[in-house]
Amino acid sequence: QVQLVESGGGSVQPGGSLRLSCAASGSIFSIYAMGWYRQAPGKQRELVATITTGGSTTYVDSVKGRFTISRDNAKNTVYLQMNSLKPEDTAVYYCNGRISTVWGGPAYNFWGQGTQVTVSS
C-alpha cells in the first residue's frame, strides 16, 4: 500500500505565497515522475507541474515564472512553491506519483487526497 499525503494548503491574498508538500510512504520500491494537478470548481483537473527523478521539470503556461516544483528523493517528497498567487489559482491541488512497489514490477499512478488553495482578497 502506498500513501501520498499533501499539506500546506490554505487561504492567501492575491500576490501571496504558499508552499505545498507531498510525502509518499508505504511499500515503495521506486518513485519515478511526480507532479501536481489542480481542479477548480466546475472545471476538469489540469496538470500544473511535473518533475522527473533527475529533476527535469515542466509547467503549464499559466504558472510559469510563478510556481516552482522540486523534490527530495531521500524523503520521497515533492514540493510546489507558489508565488504571486492569483484568484484563478484557487483550486484543490492534488499530488501524483508514478511508483513501483516491487523490483522489476510496473509503475502505477498514486494520488493524494488533495489540499485546498484559496486566493481571495
Side-chain angles (χ1 to χ4, degrees), residues 10-110:
S11 296
V12 65
Q13 292 186 339
S17 298
L18 285 173
R19 188 191 194 210
L20 306 183
S21 300
C22 172
S25 63
S27 301
I28 297 170
F29 176 77
S30 187
I31 302 177
Y32 301 98
M34 299 189 80
W36 289 94
Y37 291 69
R38 65 186 180 187
Q39 188 166 19
K43 294 187 176 182
Q44 291 188 333
R45 189 174 297 189
E46 70 167 348
L47 176 62
V48 176
T50 65
I51 185 167
T52 66
T53 304
S56 297
T57 59
T58 64
Y59 298 93
V60 66
D61 286 346
S62 60
V63 308
K64 286 181 180 178
R66 301 188 297 122
F67 290 11
T68 302
I69 188 171
S70 61
R71 66 191 284 173
D72 185 332
N73 293 329
K75 295 181 179 180
N76 290 339
T77 300
V78 62
Y79 306 95
L80 187 67
Q81 177 66 44
M82 306 185 292
N83 298 328
S84 302
L85 282 161
K86 304 175 180 180
E88 51 263 43
D89 295 318
T90 295
V92 178
Y93 283 71
Y94 297 90
C95 171
N96 171 272
R98 190 149 183 86
I99 299 169
S100 62
T101 59
V102 296
W103 182 85
Y108 299 98
N109 280 321
F110 292 89

